[in-house]
Amino acid sequence: MTNSTSNKMWGGRFAAGPDAIMEAINASIGFDKRMAAQDIAGSRAHAAMLGATGILQTSDVEAIREGLLTVLSEIETGQFQFSTALEDIHMNVEARLKDLIGAPAGRLHTGRSRNDQVATDFKLWVRDQLDATANGLQALIAALLDQAEAGSDWVMPGFTHLQTAQPVTWGHHMMAYVEMFGRDLGRIEDARARMNTSPLGAAALAGTSFPIDRHMTAQALGFDAPAHNSLDAVSDRDFALEFLGAASICAMHLSRFAEELVIWSSAQFRFVTLSDRFSTGSSIMPQKKNPDAAELIRAKVGRIFGANTALMMVMKGLPLAYSKDMQEDKEQVFDAADNLMLALAAMTGMVGDMTANRAALAAAAGAGFSTATDLADWLVRVLGLPFRDAHHVTGTLVALAEANGCDLPDLSLDQMKSAHDGITSQVFDVLGVENSVHSRTSYGGTAPAQVRAQISRWREILA
Ligand code: ARG
């Protein structure tokens, strides 16, 4: 099945049009129409520059400007007819511009190529997405700070190997995620600063003989400078990969937190109650309240990391400069971006709405001999035992408590003395979980005062 008419944009040397299968594999309009606003912004900047440098006459530039605004409004209002035969957003826009304004439309492509055009459009799109992601992360961090502030001194068990380790504070646990999402924010900001150079005017690969002004278009589009090597400018997709890399790490953090929420909201833990707004029911078991949002956030990392891997594989074997393989960049980035934004929004909603069950947290904090380290530290500090010996004495007492079916603070002084006769009743002061968390005042530690200091530091960073 061959289309009898050759392509309007590049078909001069072609006698026949493409096979339907060729058209299907070649076209990107089905997805790159998402870059319509960026494409038109790039074309407007290019046209204005062609006018300012005298490459095009003012009347042509004016017609192009008006025409592009009409095309944009047709796209925004859904009236625009996208055509697969016209392959991509760049040629769809230009063809419609030709319908609207005639001959001047054909002059717009002077001194540029679709290679620098697509790189520019995509960079603008990714840049917007980096900004949106940064906003999403800030909202999530703000929600975590509120949770941390409300429960800066609430005790809960801290875990290693998911076994009770030492008591920590709720605020401290929330602030651990603030640090993680804070690094994600930093990665997004770094990527944005590094990617902000303009490919426009690199043309197909070698630059152009027209006296264009790349500084002018760069400035008009909010770039810091023109990209400095035209070959690199059209074949660089690092900016998309940096976004996907940062998105993957962020999604991994979201997934770890989601996993904790799934565990914490279970009947066995009951550390948190998720709001009805962010839970679902079961169609068969009437009692169920499921943490579906958390489960789906946990799953999103798979597709986001997959997008990162896919684009790395697309790029890894490409010689300079542009190759059509690079058209495969967009769907991966679009999908990862959409899902990351959704995951961030869902997590922010869940965190904002969830209730920490202070009593359940406190009850669990004392279980599992969580103050055994405090006991060992006391033996070192007060009785002068070497830490290894103190560790052994404490282990004996844990075994004794376990055999008696009680917790460490429930042992009698005589039982304590059976492990080491220097132990005095003073020891009971350090066995409470409250004492334990308040004593951990080292920088970044779990003591409420330390947690509050970190909350203030983050509030200042975000302000
Ligand atoms: N749709 C193409 C892409 O996304 C635009 C660039 C086409 N360039 C070319 N030389 N065929 O990569």
Side-chain angles (χ1 to χ4, degrees):
M1 247 208 294
T2 297
N3 203 329
S4 58
T5 48
S6 67
N7 189 289
K8 279 197 262 182
M9 298 289 169
W10 46 250
R13 62 164 292 175
F14 288 77
D19 188 274
I21 298 293
M22 179 61 212
E23 196 171 285
I25 194 171
N26 199 33
S28 54
I29 189 62
F31 47 88
D32 68 15
K33 60 177 155 205
R34 283 187 72 167
M35 306 193 304
Q38 289 78 8
D39 192 70
I40 289 169
S43 287
R44 287 183 59 192
H46 186 66
M49 180 277 293
L50 292 174
T53 51
I55 299 168
L56 290 195
Q57 289 180 356
T58 314
S59 54
D60 286 343
V61 173
E62 196 38 44
I64 290 169
R65 200 186 79 86
E66 291 289 319
L68 286 171
L69 288 175
T70 306
V71 177
L72 182 62
S73 87
E74 287 178 357
I75 292 173
E76 281 172 353
T77 55
Q79 299 165 51
F80 193 93
Q81 295 289 319
F82 291 102
S83 149
T84 309
L86 288 166
E87 281 183 40
D88 56 28
I89 187 62
H90 325 295
M91 297 206 293
N92 269 269
V93 168
E94 194 183 316
R96 179 65 187 138
L97 186 65
K98 177 112 188 289
D99 295 344
L100 289 167
I101 68 169
R107 300 187 197 283
L108 172 60
H109 216 50
T110 311
R112 79 169 184 189
S113 148
R114 271 190 296 156
N115 297 349
D116 58 336
Q117 198 180 352
V118 71
T120 305
D121 294 2
F122 196 32
K123 260 196 178 182
L124 291 172
W125 196 93
V126 170
R127 194 176 68 185
D128 285 349
Q129 200 57 43
L130 289 168
D131 292 342
T133 306
N135 288 337
L137 278 164
Q138 281 171 3
L140 175 55
I141 290 171
L144 286 163
L145 288 173
D146 288 345
Q147 281 286 354
E149 192 143 60
S152 63
D153 59 353
W154 299 354
V155 291
M156 68 178 283
F159 300 91
T160 60
H161 315 264
L162 197 56
Q163 307 289 322
T164 302
Q166 294 172 353
V168 295
T169 49
W170 170 259
H172 197 214
H173 201 114
M174 292 299 109
M175 290 306 288
Y177 282 102
V178 168
E179 292 293 329
M180 290 150 84
F181 294 121
R183 286 194 297 276
D184 291 330
L185 185 57
R187 267 182 283 276
I188 294 288
E189 288 165 355
D190 290 351
R192 193 197 195 283
R194 193 163 26 255
M195 64 95 78
N196 205 28
T197 59
S198 171
L200 195 57
L205 74 166
T208 176
S209 58
F210 289 100
I212 60 169
D213 182 349
R214 294 192 56 214
H215 294 272
M216 182 180 167
T217 47
Q219 201 186 9
L221 295 169
F223 288 112
D224 298 327
H228 307 290
N229 180 298
S230 61
L231 287 167
D232 176 51
V234 294
S235 67
D236 165 36
R237 292 294 181 274
D238 292 5
F239 62 92
L241 287 164
E242 282 200 47
F243 168 66
L244 292 174
S248 295
I249 297 175
C250 177
M252 176 272 288
H253 289 153
L254 286 166
S255 177
R256 292 183 70 178
F257 194 19
E259 167 70 2
E260 295 208 304
L261 294 179
V262 169
I263 295 172
W264 290 355
S265 61
S266 68
Q268 287 69 22
F269 270 75
R270 294 198 313 108
F271 283 7
V272 296
T273 305
L274 300 176
S275 74
D276 286 358
R277 300 199 314 148
F278 285 95
S279 309
T280 54
S282 160
S283 53
I284 176 168
M285 297 165 282
Q287 85 283 10
K288 292 288 293 276
K289 188 168 162 189
N290 293 327
D292 290 37
E295 295 167 86
L296 288 163
I297 291 169
R298 188 173 59 185
K300 293 289 185 200
V301 67
R303 64 199 293 167
I304 294 172
F305 197 76
N308 186 36
T309 307
L311 187 55
M312 284 294 281
M313 296 310 286
V314 167
M315 295 304 295
K316 76 167 185 64
L318 298 185
L320 295 183
Y322 178 85
S323 294
K324 195 62 173 262
D325 310 49
M326 290 160 70
Q327 181 167 285
E328 289 286 313
D329 55 5
K330 289 166 217 63
E331 283 170 292
Q332 302 297 341
V333 169
F334 293 162
D335 185 75
D338 290 345
N339 282 287
L340 182 65
M341 288 310 293
L342 191 54
L344 281 169
M347 186 58 95
T348 305
M350 267 195 302
V351 170
D353 273 18
M354 75 184 178
T355 313
N357 300 329
R358 192 176 175 181
L361 290 168
F369 313 109
S370 67
T371 55
T373 315
D374 298 275
L375 173 55
D377 287 349
W378 184 88
L379 294 169
V380 170
R381 211 172 39 242
V382 180
L383 302 188
L385 264 58
F387 183 78
R388 279 295 151 225
D389 297 349
H391 187 286
H392 189 82
V393 169
T394 307
T396 317
L397 288 169
V398 166
L400 184 62
E402 198 166 41
N404 286 317
C406 71
D407 207 344
L408 282 174
D410 306 323
L411 292 173
S412 68
L413 183 58
D414 283 347
Q415 285 173 312
M416 290 276 184
K417 281 180 178 295
S418 72
H420 192 285
D421 60 12
I423 297 180
T424 66
S425 60
Q426 233 189 62
V427 75
F428 293 101
D429 292 349
V430 300
L431 294 184
V433 289
E434 295 285 343
N435 294 329
S436 172
V437 297
H438 279 91
S439 72
R440 292 199 154 69
T441 52
S442 54
Y443 184 85
T446 204
Q450 282 297 324
V451 171
R452 285 188 202 111
Q454 292 304 324
I455 295 171
S456 312
R457 188 175 71 83
W458 272 103
R459 292 231 188 264
E460 266 167 48
I461 291 172
L462 291 191

